[in-house]
C-alpha cells in the first residue's frame, strides 16, 4: 500500500471558487503534515504546516488533519489565477527524517 | 527572507561522468536533505544529514551517491558515475527546529544525463 495517496487531478475551477485538496496516508506514526505549492520546474514552496490533528488557517488557506481517518485537507478560499500550480501534501516525523510526498494535485484557476 | 540556494540550475552531463550538485542551506538550520523528482513523478527522499553525518537515507541513495558539508555553508551531493535514469530535478532542503519536520526547499538543479 502506498504511503501517501493524492488525487493528481487536474482540477479546474473558476476564480473565486473554494478549492478542496486532499490526501490519505497509511502510517499512523506520522506527526507532521505539510502542504507545498510547486510551479512547473521549480522547488516546492511550503504553504502550511500542521502538527498532529486539528485545523490551521493562514489567510485564504486552511489546513485540516484528521489523524483518526488518516486524512489531510487543504482548502483555498476565493481562489485566484495565481493559485494555479501543483499542490503537494507531505507527511513526516521529527526533523532529520524523510518527508513522504503525495504525487501532487494540479490546480488551474481560470479568470 | 532566508532561502535555500542551489547551483547550477541546469547541468547536462555524459553518462558515466561524475557530477556535484551544490546547495547553500538557510544559515541557522541544522538539518539538510536531498530529494529528487523525476519528470511527472513524486518528490522522493534521498538522504538527510545532521551534525556532519547521514541521519537517514533511502534505497535510492546507493554507493554511487555521497553527501558532504565541506565548510560551514555549503552542502553537496555527488553522483560518482551518472546513469541515464539519474536524470531528474534534485532539490536541496533544510530545516531548523529539532522536533519538527518542516523543511524549506531550494529551486532545484535539473540534471540531464545524455
Amino acid at each position: 500500500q502506498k504511503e501517501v495517496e493524492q488525487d493528481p487531478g487536474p482540477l479546474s475551477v473558476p476564480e473565486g471558487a473554494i478549492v478542496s485538496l486532499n490526501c490519505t496516508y497509511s502510517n499512523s506514526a506520522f506527526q507532521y503534515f505539510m502542504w507545498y505549492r510547486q510551479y512547473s520546474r521549480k522547488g516546492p514552496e511550503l504553504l502550511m504546516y500542521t502538527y498532529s490533528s486539528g485545523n490551521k488557517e493562514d489567510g485564504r488557506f486552511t489546513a485540516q488533519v484528521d489523524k483518526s481517518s488518516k486524512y489531510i485537507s487543504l482548502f483555498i478560499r476565493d481562489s485566484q489565477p495565481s493559485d494555479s500550480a501543483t499542490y503537494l501534501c507531505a507527511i513526516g516525523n521529527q526533523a532529520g527524517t524523510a518527508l513522504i510526498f503525495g504525487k501532487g494535485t494540479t490546480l488551474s484557476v481560470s479568470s | 527572507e532566508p532561502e535555500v540556494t542551489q547551483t547550477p540550475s541546469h547541468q547536462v552531463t555524459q553518462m558515466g561522468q561524475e557530477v556535484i550538485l551544490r546547495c547553500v542551506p538557510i544559515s541557522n538550520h541544522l538539518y539538510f536533505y536531498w530529494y529528487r523528482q523525476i519528470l511527472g513523478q513524486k518528490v522522493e527522499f534521498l538522504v538527510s544529514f545532521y551534525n556532519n553525518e547521514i541521519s537517514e537515507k533511502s534505497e535510492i541513495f546507493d554507493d554511487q551517491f555521497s553527501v558532504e558539508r565541506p565548510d560551514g555553508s555549503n552542502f553537496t551531493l555527488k553522483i560518482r558515475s551518472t546513469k541515464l535514469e539519474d536524470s531528474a530535478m534534485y532539490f536541496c532542503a533544510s530545516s531548523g527546529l529539532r522536533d519538527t519536520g518542516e523543511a524549506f526547499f531550494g529551486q532545484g538543479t535539473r540534471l540531464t544525463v545524455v
Side-chain angles (χ1 to χ4, degrees), chain A residues 4 32 34 36 38 41-44 46 49 88 93-99 101-103, chain B residues 31 33 35 37 40 42 45 48 55-56 91 97-103 105-107 110:
Chain A
V4 180
Y32 302 98
M34 281 141 283
Y36 288 86
Q38 186 178 32
R41 294 184 179 272
K42 298 293 185 184
L46 183 62
Y49 166 81
L88 312 174
N93 275 316
Q94 65 206 40
T97 62
L99 288 179
F101 280 83
K103 197 169 182 181
Chain B
Y31 299 87
Y33 314 83
Y35 287 79
Q37 187 176 32
K42 288 186 180 187
F45 171 76
S48 59
S55 51
E56 185 179 359
F91 297 111
L97 300 176
R98 186 172 298 277
D99 294 321
T100 76
E102 190 178 15
F105 282 72
Q107 290 301 302
R110 181 154 64 103

